[in-house]
Amino acid sequence: MDLSLTPTQADIRAAARRYLDDRCPPSRPAEHAAELWPELVRTGWLDPDLGAVELVLLAEESGRALLPAPWWATTRAVPVYRAAGAELPGPVTSVDGTGSCVVRDGRLHGRCNAVVDARTCAEIVVAADTGDGVALFGVRPDAPGVTLTDRPGPDLLRTAADLVLTDVVGRLLLGPPAAAPVLAEVTRRSALLAAAEGVGVATRALEFAAEHARTRVQFGRPIGAFQAVGHALAECYADVEAARSLVYRAACAPDLPDAAHCATWSAARAAARCGETAIQVCGGMGVTWEFPLHRWYRRALWLEARVAAGPDPVDAIAAALLGPETVEGTP
Amino acid sequence: MRLDDSDEERAFRSELRAWLRTAVPAAPDGLPPQWTDGELRAWSAALHEAGYAGLTWPVEHGGRGLSPAYQAVFAEESALAEAPDQANVIGLNMVGPSIIAHGSEAQRAHHLPRILSGETTFCQGFSEPEAGSDLAALRTRATPVPGGYLLNGHKLWSSYAHLADHCLLLARTDPDAPRHRGLSCFLLDLRAPGVEVRPLRKLSGDDSFSEIVLRDVFTPADSVLGAPGDGWRVAMTTLAHERGTFGIALTARLAVQHARLRRTITAFGADRDPVVRREFAELHVELEGLRHTGYRALATLLRTGEPGPESTVVKLGWSRANQRLTALACRVAARADHPWYAHWTRERLRARTNTIEGGTSEVLLGVIAERVLGLPRSR
Ligand SMILES: Cc1cc2nc3c(=O)[nH]c(=O)nc-3n(C[C@H](O)[C@H](O)[C@H](O)COP(=O)(O)OP(=O)(O)OC[C@H]3O[C@@H](n4cnc5c(N)ncnc54)[C@H](O)[C@@H]3O)c2cc1C
């Protein structure tokens, strides 16, 4: 058993943090956004051979810095391109929410809700029913027959759009039966990397608050010396570390039936709680638009909504431990 | 980063597991047995005979010289097997390592073999009526006299003192020195004249801790552990020896409680109750979060010699989770007149000590705030 970073993993994390501290400081949220993508590609963030632990570390750092590039959206779809033997055409995204698409006469029809980063990516991975099973297609957001309708959400740095496809030509990436397991892998990666991102978001919110609590003076002392403040932040720390441990566990043991659900639930909760406690500790300044903290809180709300929109992780854990829920009276 | 044992750890674990299977009597009704004092003493001796005492002690002091990873496996497997508590846990995990670190040759030669064999059992005498969370307020006096010291004072809440023949005692040798400076640590023989050990009853009905009254107790000069006046530092290092593996013992016990809760829930048909299902699943998330935080702290300890800062959250989270778990179990089992209801009631009552013993939750939150988050002192 060794649940700590190897020296290489520690280096990866340190390099990611140095890079993001330099490129995406809180004072300039998205200044270099356009230049970031080629830099990420060049420095290996999109390397298809990155293991789950390495990805989780990058996702954590990207959440901590609120990396303004479609890295999460792209990385979760990497297995599709790898399985298809295709090059990534640039930043991509994949369908994640509700909706359904079908293939009729070789053309795509249907709708997909809340596709993250749909406008900024080069290609959208769309799952469509062929009649013989699911297939995965690459669809260009500007292709004829594609309509994108912006979907309001809490997070201004991570936008989403509803996608409607009418008679669209897509490029076939994976057909049945190969597509289904790869799609499941995409879903798993989406959840794991979102949870890791949540840990980074929670960590950064707590850093803002601790820094403020060390320096803001009221009643003649730094407010962090008041136990009501110190204990609240200590509770946040306990939440973040538990979530971090669960994310590492899920990265190391993907086959445990509860692992991803535990990580998802605890990380989303830690991010929201830390965001809320941090805002409280920062007082009036914490609720202003100028103070950057709300951007992390908004990402926490986005993560929470993502969890709420999917199957309930706590129900899934209960089912893994106690068996499926049966209605009283049924055998 | 990996979750499975190394080959050596796996071999150690399976050998230990096989031994525990034969050594720990099976509980007939699926409930953990209540051990008598005699059984607890016998268990200490059995562990020594089988080579499981002093796992991390250096070989030259009679230990096995293993890394804390093996101590963690031992703690985990003992909890899973519901083996008896180690009555000499204070001797083996706190006093022994401190004697190895700070003790004289004579202290080592006298105490270490006896601690290992279970012949000597230690308790810890730190807390006092006026000194709980604020340990440095302690008043027990050690007055220098020819050949040693005279001890006068009153110690409280000393676990296992009724079984112990020695006490790791913290007392004030210099009343004029600043609070933390004038203290010394003693290896006190509880059989000395003037020592009175009175068991105290807990609200659960257990009497596994005691008060110790000291009236003009003579203790020889060579019973001071470390330098006179250096007691605070020695006492803090005794507490530090356990960090890193102690949390793993706690979460392993919590896992056993959680598994028994699952059996209770299914036995009473509460697995169809959505509220119970939810709370049970939430407890599982807490348990796994703490367990793996303990593993992270241990991994850092193995790499650097110091457990990671995240080790500070394990005891805090464990105590609350155990209280929440036993409360849920009580509510589930209360639905029927079943032996498990009595068991869970006792466990729930016992769990109240968890947020007080070994540093209260409030004190631990303060430690995290100050030492981990770097916030200014609140006092
Ligand atoms: C089961 C059990 C076993 C024990 N075994 C041993 C043993 O073997 N040896 C030994 O020496 N001691 C032992 N203790 C004692 C234990 O260490 C003390 O009980 C503990 O440190 C708290 O001290 P206290 O009981 O005097 O409570 P107090 O310190 O008086 O605390 C009372 C309340 O005030 C709060 N409080 C105190 N200070 C602060 C602060 N600065 N900020 C916020 N809140 C504060 C506490 O959190 C608590 O809620 C044991 C205790 C228990 C319950």
Side-chain angles (χ1 to χ4, degrees):
Chain A
M1 172 112 45
D2 182 5
L3 206 56
S4 64
L5 304 186
T6 63
T8 316
Q9 289 164 344
D11 286 348
I12 289 178
R13 185 174 65 179
R17 179 165 300 194
R18 266 197 313 276
Y19 171 69
L20 294 173
D21 280 349
D22 175 47
R23 297 299 265 165
C24 320
S27 53
R28 289 170 291 152
E31 196 172 297
H32 300 290
E35 303 157 24
L36 291 175
W37 190 257
E39 291 173 4
L40 294 178
V41 173
R42 203 171 53 242
T43 50
W45 282 63
L46 276 304
D47 185 339
D49 296 327
L50 287 174
V53 174
E54 288 75 13
L55 286 172
V56 149
L57 296 175
L58 293 178
E60 225 181 288
E61 292 306 315
S62 78
R64 184 177 171 276
L66 288 187
L67 166 64
W71 179 78
W72 176 76
T74 303
T75 299
R76 65 202 176 126
V78 161
V80 178
Y81 290 86
R82 191 178 38 195
E87 285 275 314
L88 269 182
V92 299
T93 188
S94 101
V95 299
D96 189 27
T98 53
S100 66
C101 296
V102 295
V103 188
R104 240 183 286 126
D105 305 328
R107 304 282 185 126
L108 293 164
H109 298 266
R111 62 175 295 135
C112 310
N113 295 332
V115 181
V116 170
D117 293 331
R119 284 194 189 281
T120 46
C121 68
E123 199 164 70
I124 304 169
V125 175
V126 172
D129 191 351
T130 62
D132 285 328
V134 70
L136 294 169
F137 293 86
V139 172
R140 290 207 336 272
D142 56 357
V146 172
T147 12
L148 289 171
T149 311
D150 287 329
R151 196 181 172 98
D155 187 350
L156 308 177
L157 293 170
R158 178 164 289 159
T159 55
D162 292 339
L163 170 71
V164 175
L165 303 173
T166 326
D167 214 25
V168 172
V169 182
R171 71 167 170 144
L172 178 68
L173 290 166
L174 285 175
V182 176
L183 187 59
E185 166 69 7
V186 171
T187 306
R188 271 198 301 275
R189 266 164 93 105
S190 301
L192 178 63
L193 297 185
E197 185 181 83
V199 171
V201 168
T203 304
R204 190 67 182 95
L206 179 54
E207 285 172 10
F208 273 114
E211 172 62 27
H212 187 68
R214 282 190 289 266
T215 48
R216 168 71 173 167
V217 173
Q218 285 292 278
F219 300 98
R221 53 213 287 220
I223 57 166
F226 298 113
Q227 285 191 343
V229 171
H231 288 194
L233 295 182
E235 300 276 8
C236 285
Y237 176 76
D239 281 353
V240 182
E241 291 308 322
R244 196 187 315 276
S245 303
L246 288 169
V247 166
Y248 291 174
R249 169 179 181 244
C252 289
D255 297 331
L256 288 176
D258 63 300
H261 302 301
C262 289
T264 295
W265 189 64
S266 66
R269 216 175 40 153
R273 280 193 186 167
C274 289
E276 283 160 6
T277 305
I279 291 171
Q280 179 68 18
V281 164
C282 291
M285 189 181 75
V287 296
T288 61
W289 184 265
E290 285 70 27
F291 194 63
L293 184 52
H294 68 97
R295 295 204 293 272
W296 278 263
Y297 183 47
R298 286 166 175 279
R299 179 61 52 87
L301 295 185
W302 181 84
L303 288 162
E304 194 184 75
R306 185 180 180 280
V307 174
D312 184 351
V314 180
D315 281 351
I317 295 162
L321 301 174
L322 292 170
E325 192 167 9
T326 51
V327 182
E328 203 113 15
T330 59
Chain B
M1 193 185 287
R2 56 183 176 74
L3 267 177
D4 50 344
D5 285 335
S6 69
D7 290 345
E8 294 79 17
E9 288 161 2
R10 194 173 306 116
F12 178 80
R13 192 188 289 275
S14 64
E15 184 189 302
L16 170 61
R17 195 175 281 184
W19 181 77
L20 286 168
R21 210 175 290 129
T22 56
V24 181
D29 52 359
L31 293 175
Q34 305 296 309
W35 309 102
T36 64
D37 291 350
E39 285 167 330
L40 290 177
R41 280 203 195 87
W43 184 247
S44 290
L47 284 173
H48 175 242
E49 247 164 65
Y52 292 116
L55 290 174
T56 57
W57 291 23
V59 175
E60 69 263 34
H61 296 302
R64 279 179 65 179
L66 296 171
S67 87
Y70 294 85
Q71 183 67 32
V73 171
F74 176 80
E76 204 161 51
E77 291 299 322
S78 299
L80 294 175
E82 301 204 78
D85 281 350
Q86 227 169 350
N88 203 14
V89 62
I90 292 168
L92 284 165
N93 293 357
M94 295 169 64
V95 180
S98 300
I99 292 177
I100 291 168
H102 304 287
S104 65
E105 271 317 314
Q107 286 170 339
R108 289 176 178 175
H110 180 77
H111 286 291
L112 296 180
R114 289 178 174 81
I115 292 174
L116 282 175
S117 69
E119 186 189 333
T120 296
T121 301
F122 266 90
C123 64
Q124 180 204 43
F126 287 6
S127 305
E128 295 183 7
E130 313 294 335
S133 300
D134 185 11
L135 183 56
L138 67 85
R139 294 178 175 182
T140 292
R141 282 293 316 274
T143 315
V145 291
Y149 297 85
L150 270 193
L151 297 167
N152 278 289
H154 186 181
K155 292 290 174 179
L156 274 185
W157 325 129
S158 185
S159 302
Y160 295 116
H162 66 295
L163 283 177
D165 45 64
H166 279 73
C167 176
L168 180 72
L169 185 94
L170 197 55
R172 195 165 293 284
T173 34
D174 181 357
D176 301 324
R179 281 181 4 127
H180 296 83
R181 294 273 173 73
L183 303 174
S184 300
C185 229
F186 291 88
L187 302 167
L188 172 67
D189 189 336
L190 288 174
R191 293 159 298 193
V195 176
E196 190 187 347
V197 176
R198 291 197 293 241
L200 295 166
R201 212 142 192 233
K202 292 182 187 159
L203 61 75
S204 56
D206 300 311
D207 42 21
S208 54
F209 64 178
S210 305
E211 60 184 328
I212 304 173
V213 180
L214 305 163
R215 288 191 201 90
D216 286 336
V217 177
F218 175 77
T219 190
D222 65 6
S223 69
V224 178
L225 178 61
D230 207 17
W232 183 260
R233 201 175 62 86
V234 174
M236 290 305 114
T237 57
T238 65
L239 299 176
H241 289 305
E242 274 209 314
R243 282 190 302 154
T245 54
F246 180 55
I248 288 179
L250 296 180
T251 54
R253 278 184 220 159
L254 190 61
V256 171
Q257 294 270 58
H258 194 257
R260 183 167 279 119
L261 170 59
R262 188 176 58 72
R263 292 197 293 280
T264 307
I265 287 173
T266 45
F268 289 98
D271 49 335
R272 287 178 303 224
D273 179 335
V275 178
V276 170
R277 289 175 71 87
R278 199 164 183 88
E279 194 166 352
F280 181 72
E282 287 182 10
L283 280 166
H284 174 77
V285 180
E286 268 174 53
L287 162 61
E288 294 302 336
L290 292 167
R291 196 153 76 92
H292 289 81
T293 302
Y295 292 156
R296 284 172 55 211
L298 173 65
T300 309
L301 173 70
L302 297 176
R303 262 175 213 275
T304 66
E306 280 288 317
E310 64 280 352
S311 63
T312 50
V313 311
V314 179
K315 193 269 172 177
L316 176 73
W318 161 80
S319 60
R320 293 164 167 182
N322 196 39
Q323 291 178 346
R324 208 178 138 194
L325 187 155
T326 52
L328 174 63
C330 257
R331 286 202 302 277
V332 169
R335 295 174 186 189
D337 185 19
H338 193 280
W340 284 1
Y341 177 65
H343 165 75
W344 283 120
T345 302
R346 190 170 56 236
E347 289 300 302
R348 185 177 184 182
L349 292 170
R350 282 180 170 166
R352 298 322 307 174
T353 64
N354 299 163
T355 43
I356 299 167
E357 61 200 333
T360 70
S361 296
E362 292 74 19
V363 165
L364 295 178
L365 287 168
V367 168
I368 296 171
E370 287 169 25
R371 299 205 202 133
V372 182
L373 300 177
L375 301 185
R377 284 177 74 89
S378 61
R379 284 157 282 121

